[in-house]
Amino acid sequence: MIGSKNGTQYLVTHQQIPWRYFFVSLIVLWAMQWNAAKPVLSAETESAAWPGQHPLTAAQVGSLLIHELKCGACHTGVESGRISEKTAPDLTNVGGRVSPKYLQEFIAHPAQKHPGTTMPDLLASRPETERTAIAEAITHFLVDQSKEKSLPAAGNQSDQQRGKTLYHSIGCVACHGPREVFEQVSEKPKETDDDFDDEPEDHREKRVQPVAFGLDHVPEKYNVASLSQFLFAPLHVRQSGRMPDMKLKPDEALSIAAYLVGDSKVDESLKTDERLVHRGRQYFQELNCAACHSLPGITAAKRVNRLTETSLSRGCLTGKGGTSPQYAVSREQRLSMELFIKESTKSDSPVIDTDQVAIAKTLATFHCIACHTRDDFGGVPDIYNMFFTGNDLKLGDDGRIPPPLTHVGAKLRPAWLKKVLFDGESVRPYMVTRMPQYGETNIGHLPELFARVDHLQGKDLAIPSAEGAKPQDREREKLLRQAGRELLGDKGLNCIACHSFNGRSSQGSQGIDLLTSYQRLQPQYFDSYLRNPGSFRPRTVMPTAWPNGVATFTTILDGDTDRQIEAIWYYLSLGTSAADPSGLRSVNTKLVVDGSKAQIHRGRSRIAGYRGIAVGLPGKWNFAFNAETGTISGIWKGDYIQVNWSGQGSGDFQPATEAVTLPQDISFLPFEGEPTAWPRMPVMTKEARTNPDPLYPKNVGYQFRGYTLDKDHIPTFSYRSGAVDIFDRTQILGDPGNERLQRIFRFESPTTQTLWFRGLAGKVTKEDSQNFRLGNLRLSIPEIPFRLREIPGQAGEFELLIPVQISQGQSTLEVNYELLSK
């Protein structure tokens, strides 16, 4: 593999890797092979019924298993609990993503075909010939009822190589284990290999049992196209979130799929037999598959009696056949379930988890503690450590290991925690491992639980007002603002030596942007952390400027620790209006669109928000898309964009020439009648620095779902408004010199409804019933109803509202944009 050290690339061979890693590799391979042979959810020891290191008792594990195996689908008396139950995969389009041959063999022998599956053997009591016949019939039925058919595709060698790198770096290893033991080894932030041996024992990584759910069945199950679609949006198929969304781009999903499938070819075709389709539907009903898998026109059977200790010992969990379905569980798992049922039936009152237990169950269920620690549990296992990397070795473990979850409810503001968990917000661009998305439906209870459980004793930092009523208040504000700026700069504590500031990089390490602190952190945590960072992350490279509470920099605010920390907090609260500390640098680059393909750049932007996407089309047509709200927020002709590469992630971008700016508010909303007031995107100012609606536009039903690129790299954005899926593509239309942008919306809806589109807002004028002007931009719409109304409280400004009639199934809308001479 190609590695790097001190900026120089070199070839890593097996001979260059220390001998102790060969011993580690044997352990990894043994653990993976052993795990593949174990039944569902077994850990690497006979005494554990759940993988990984967790604080759960045997009975608590038993309650999780009962929900993971969906016992409540067939049995009464199973309490739903506070953890979302695992749901079965959506079979609506299973024929379009899974090989029919694999599907048939899996139905016939689930545990043999996919060791570790939670799918029971429904045909355990049937002779082999009957198993095969039933599985074949159900396969014909499932393929026939699928709306989509199999997508043939094959990855190339470069896809596979890139996929291997992604798999072993972004976090897949945490749950599935490494597949290439040494290929991805990277240099740890040590000066020499000998430093590893000399490290104090109490600073070594914790000895944590690894998790490794096998993927050997994948090449038989998927082709490259179908697997890449699943990896791109796994929650569409498996809504219960046990396989999370890893925030993959379409090309990344394709590369990982090519790597996992390899060069194998699956049987993708099945000409369904009408007779077998009919028989398969009958078997699907007879075997009560609808208890877990919902399909139109098929109802689940009534549930049977509640679970008891004796029913567990003679029913679905025995592995001894009989008329009941059979789950491949271990003896330890069955005993855990029996223990939970015994405890829950001691009295008529159900067992109710405490907040602490509910948190522990959630972190275990979704394997959060495969990467994160919380208190004394979880964390990256030693044998997986080498696969957690970062782009800045100077940051040490802080730059490569996901942060601990201890005190997280007291650390993060609730609104920010929701952004991280549900919107994919990230402030660590230097960390290669990604934070997975499990979906709000599955972990929506976590922020409230963390807030109730986690507390820190710390100073509640007061924020002064620049417009204070008293002169001493205004003087205090001025003093703290100046002191905070000085402390952060290179003539003070020089925090910007290791941290970015307002999207601009430091001269050294590229730590978390300091301006995110006030948005993210609670003041008590900020105060406590600055005083003693090592108490929160023992191996952090973050120094303290106030050891034992005593300031090391005494020339600012008379060395008063409390006032210095208060000054920094206030200065950061100013947000983007805070003047740059001394010592920052800025690097700008102009990007151009060459050739016949479009160019895409993602990053923060004044014109498109913090989830902005700039699209440069051939012919010098450009537009900016705000993925946070699902709207085109700027259109311009001429040069593409200027990028400040020193910003977070891909840097900040701005149009390279003057653009027509459009409102960044959400564009589509479902309303039965005309909306009384359009929900506006919150705007924070120096005077009002707190976001009054931090979950806008999620609160009005919007969800961004990524984008795909065609052969010319033109994107189609995918997002949702309420229950309607929207696919949004903009392209150039017309002859040279008479071009316009054509924007095509394709809607997919389960019902007939009205979706309102806010086409323009501002100083809008009407030319005729189909053409409207905003500055030198003309928007043309079809011959459909519209409303052009004045915006309340904004004299002379109007908004163009279009009620789009959405049909059940698919429907479309086309609009055109033209740039006119001023």
Side-chain angles (χ1 to χ4, degrees):
M1 63 165 288
I2 299 297
S4 65
K5 189 170 185 178
N6 299 326
T8 303
Q9 289 191 336
Y10 62 100
L11 181 66
V12 177
T13 66
H14 291 292
Q15 287 76 16
Q16 291 173 297
I17 299 171
W19 277 102
R20 60 177 168 272
Y21 286 136
F22 284 100
F23 174 71
V24 172
S25 73
L26 294 177
I27 297 176
V28 173
L29 292 173
W30 171 82
M32 292 171 63
Q33 293 171 356
W34 190 94
N35 183 77
K38 293 294 290 182
V40 56
L41 298 176
S42 286
E44 277 72 22
T45 64
E46 287 293 330
S47 60
W50 194 271
Q53 186 196 38
H54 54 77
L56 301 177
T57 66
Q60 290 164 353
V61 167
S63 70
L64 286 188
L65 287 167
I66 284 174
H67 288 99
E68 291 299 289
L69 299 177
K70 286 188 64 65
C71 299
C74 294
H75 292 272
T76 61
V78 177
E79 299 292 335
S80 59
R82 301 165 77 176
I83 313 303
S84 63
E85 183 179 82
K86 181 178 180 181
T87 57
D90 183 355
L91 298 183
T92 304
N93 288 311
V94 67
R97 65 177 185 272
V98 175
S99 158
K101 181 176 183 293
Y102 175 89
L103 188 59
Q104 179 176 331
E105 293 175 355
F106 177 74
I107 294 170
H109 296 281
Q112 290 182 23
K113 203 65 184 172
H114 180 187
T117 182
T118 54
M119 166 80 175
D121 186 349
L122 298 171
L123 307 174
S125 62
R126 312 291 180 111
E128 187 62 33
T129 53
E130 191 175 352
R131 273 179 182 263
T132 302
I134 294 174
E136 181 184 17
I138 294 177
T139 299
H140 276 253
F141 163 63
L142 292 176
V143 171
D144 183 75
Q145 62 85 45
S146 296
K147 297 177 182 178
E148 299 175 1
K149 303 308 176 186
S150 184
L151 299 174
N156 56 44
Q157 191 61 38
S158 62
D159 285 333
Q160 294 181 24
Q161 183 61 42
R162 184 187 183 209
K164 181 170 68 173
T165 301
L166 285 166
Y167 176 91
H168 290 91
S169 61
I170 65 172
C172 308
V173 166
C175 289
H176 296 291
R179 297 172 65 85
E180 307 282 343
V181 178
F182 290 121
E183 298 289 343
Q184 302 301 320
V185 173
S186 62
E187 289 294 302
K188 295 186 66 177
K190 306 283 185 186
E191 292 299 323
T192 68
D193 289 330
D194 293 336
D195 289 338
F196 183 92
D197 297 325
D198 295 337
E199 186 181 5
E201 184 64 30
D202 60 352
H203 281 179
R204 289 175 182 261
E205 291 84 349
K206 295 171 61 176
R207 285 0 182 206
V208 179
Q209 290 293 339
V211 179
F213 296 112
L215 297 175
D216 290 344
H217 63 291
V218 166
E220 298 180 69
K221 182 176 182 179
Y222 299 101
N223 64 28
V224 173
S226 60
L227 180 57
S228 68
Q229 285 188 347
F230 171 70
L231 294 176
F232 180 68
L235 297 181
H236 287 191
V237 175
R238 301 184 183 178
Q239 299 174 355
S240 57
R242 274 51 172 181
M243 170 62 192
D245 187 335
M246 294 301 295
K247 299 185 290 189
L248 298 172
K249 301 175 186 176
D251 59 320
E252 292 177 331
L254 185 64
S255 294
I256 295 178
Y259 168 61
L260 294 177
V261 171
D263 298 323
S264 65
K265 305 293 183 183
V266 299
D267 183 4
E268 300 167 347
S269 60
L270 177 66
K271 185 177 181 180
T272 55
D273 184 296
E274 187 175 346
R275 181 177 53 87
L276 289 177
V277 169
H278 177 72
R279 189 177 301 169
R281 183 183 184 89
Q282 291 178 324
Y283 283 131
F284 196 91
Q285 179 81 66
E286 175 189 325
L287 295 170
N288 199 24
C289 303
C292 295
H293 300 280
S294 176
L295 286 178
I298 300 180
T299 57
K302 290 184 177 181
R303 292 186 294 170
V304 298
N305 294 335
R306 63 186 301 127
L307 290 171
T308 64
E309 291 178 76
T310 54
S311 65
L312 288 180
S313 62
R314 65 170 184 249
C316 302
L317 307 180
T318 61
K320 299 177 180 178
T323 57
S324 300
Q326 291 298 306
Y327 288 91
V329 297
S330 68
R331 176 177 176 273
E332 290 74 28
Q333 290 168 339
R334 180 170 58 81
L335 291 176
S336 293
M337 296 166 72
E338 289 179 3
L339 183 58
F340 169 72
I341 290 175
K342 183 177 181 180
E343 289 188 0
S344 63
T345 54
K346 286 180 180 177
S347 65
D348 293 334
S349 300
V351 176
I352 300 177
D353 293 334
T354 65
D355 289 344
Q356 288 279 22
V357 172
I359 289 174
K361 281 186 173 182
T362 304
L363 300 185
T365 297
F366 295 98
H367 303 293
C368 307
I369 49 179
C371 295
H372 299 273
T373 58
R374 181 166 170 87
D375 300 323
D376 295 327
F377 299 95
V380 176
D382 286 354
I383 60 176
Y384 291 178
N385 193 296
M386 63 185 76
F387 300 102
F388 286 76
T389 60
N391 297 321
D392 191 340
L393 294 181
K394 295 178 182 178
L395 293 176
D397 283 357
D398 285 0
R400 66 184 192 89
I401 302 294
L405 299 181
T406 306
H407 305 305
V408 69
K411 172 184 177 180
L412 298 181
R413 296 182 187 268
W416 188 268
L417 183 55
K418 291 177 181 178
K419 281 181 174 291
V420 173
L421 294 178
F422 312 139
D423 294 338
E425 182 60 272
S426 173
V427 294
R428 294 178 172 85
Y430 46 78
M431 187 175 292
V432 178
T433 303
R434 301 180 185 180
M435 171 67 185
Q437 300 292 290
Y438 291 96
E440 189 171 358
T441 302
N442 301 307
I443 58 173
H445 58 284
L446 265 184
E448 183 180 351
L449 289 180
F450 280 137
R452 286 208 299 261
V453 167
D454 294 340
H455 303 282
L456 279 176
Q457 296 298 321
K459 189 174 169 32
D460 190 6
L461 304 173
I463 297 295
S465 172
E467 288 77 30
K470 299 178 181 179
Q472 56 266 39
D473 293 336
R474 295 193 294 272
E475 186 62 31
R476 175 173 174 266
E477 185 277 334
K478 181 179 179 180
L479 181 65
L480 290 185
R481 174 160 38 90
Q482 181 179 345
R485 182 185 183 191
E486 190 174 353
L487 284 164
L488 293 183
D490 59 358
K491 295 179 175 59
L493 299 176
N494 201 21
C495 304
I496 59 165
C498 297
H499 287 276
S500 300
F501 186 88
N502 198 14
R504 298 173 64 186
S505 66
S506 72
Q507 299 287 353
S509 298
Q510 306 304 312
I512 292 176
D513 193 314
L514 292 170
L515 271 195
T516 68
S517 301
Y518 187 77
Q519 293 177 273
R520 295 186 301 115
L521 304 177
Q522 301 201 42
Q524 294 85 355
Y525 177 89
F526 183 83
D527 178 71
S528 301
Y529 184 80
L530 257 60
R531 292 172 188 269
N532 189 5
S535 66
F536 293 89
R537 298 198 76 169
R539 302 182 64 179
T540 183
V541 297
M542 168 79 175
T544 177
W546 303 274
N548 298 319
V550 179
T552 58
F553 206 94
T554 58
T555 60
I556 301 174
L557 297 177
D558 300 323
D560 187 318
T561 295
D562 291 347
R563 294 176 71 202
Q564 286 186 355
I565 295 177
E566 191 175 51
I568 294 174
W569 181 248
Y570 171 62
Y571 181 66
L572 296 177
S573 77
L574 298 175
T576 55
S577 66
D580 289 345
S582 61
L584 283 176
R585 63 175 179 174
S586 179
V587 180
N588 293 311
T589 302
K590 178 185 284 189
L591 297 188
V592 297
V593 179
D594 292 324
S596 60
K597 295 187 182 298
Q599 182 162 329
I600 310 295
H601 185 86
R602 303 191 305 171
R604 296 174 185 261
S605 173
R606 288 192 301 274
I607 199 173
Y610 77 96
R611 297 179 73 184
I613 302 174
V615 180
L617 300 172
K620 291 188 174 294
W621 277 89
N622 314 283
F623 66 91
F625 183 84
N626 187 330
E628 178 70 5
T629 55
T631 187
I632 287 183
S633 55
I635 298 175
W636 67 100
K637 286 195 70 174
D639 292 339
Y640 182 34
I641 55 174
Q642 291 276 2
V643 178
N644 175 8
W645 293 107
S646 60
Q648 286 187 335
S650 299
D652 304 331
F653 73 83
Q654 302 301 336
T657 53
E658 185 179 356
V660 175
T661 58
L662 303 170
Q664 298 185 44
D665 311 308
I666 191 169
S667 290
F668 283 96
L669 282 176
F671 281 102
E672 289 297 328
E674 181 178 333
T676 54
W678 197 266
R680 306 288 296 279
M681 184 173 69
V683 177
M684 292 175 286
T685 63
K686 180 179 178 181
E687 293 73 26
R689 291 185 292 268
T690 302
N691 190 338
D693 189 6
L695 294 183
Y696 175 93
K698 180 185 290 290
N699 287 338
V700 292
Y702 170 86
Q703 181 185 17
F704 184 61
R705 311 187 83 171
Y707 61 88
T708 58
L709 302 178
D710 67 7
K711 61 181 178 61
D712 295 322
H713 292 183
I714 297 176
T716 296
F717 299 107
S718 173
Y719 47 94
R720 173 173 285 186
S721 179
V724 180
D725 288 316
I726 304 173
F727 303 90
D728 182 353
R729 172 187 167 88
T730 299
Q731 61 190 13
I732 299 176
L733 194 67
D735 299 325
N738 191 31
E739 300 142 321
R740 61 188 183 277
L741 290 183
Q742 181 186 52
R743 190 176 183 187
I744 304 171
F745 300 102
R746 178 168 59 86
F747 307 97
E748 292 185 0
S749 175
T751 61
T752 299
Q753 58 182 292
T754 300
L755 200 62
W756 286 79
F757 172 50
R758 190 173 187 241
L760 292 174
K763 296 187 181 301
V764 181
T765 58
K766 174 185 172 184
E767 294 183 338
D768 53 44
S769 62
Q770 290 183 267
N771 296 288
F772 303 85
R773 287 278 298 269
L774 177 64
N776 64 319
L777 177 71
R778 173 186 288 154
L779 172 65
S780 302
I781 65 173
E783 284 279 7
I784 55 177
F786 66 89
R787 286 279 288 120
L788 184 63
R789 67 183 190 184
E790 190 167 11
I791 301 175
Q794 295 180 237
E797 297 199 0
F798 297 82
E799 55 188 1
L800 175 64
L801 303 181
I802 303 168
V804 183
Q805 302 305 313
I806 306 295
S807 304
Q808 182 178 9
Q810 293 191 5
S811 50
T812 60
L813 170 69
E814 293 183 7
V815 300
N816 294 307
Y817 300 94
E818 295 177 78
L819 286 175
L820 309 174
S821 300
K822 293 185 178 180

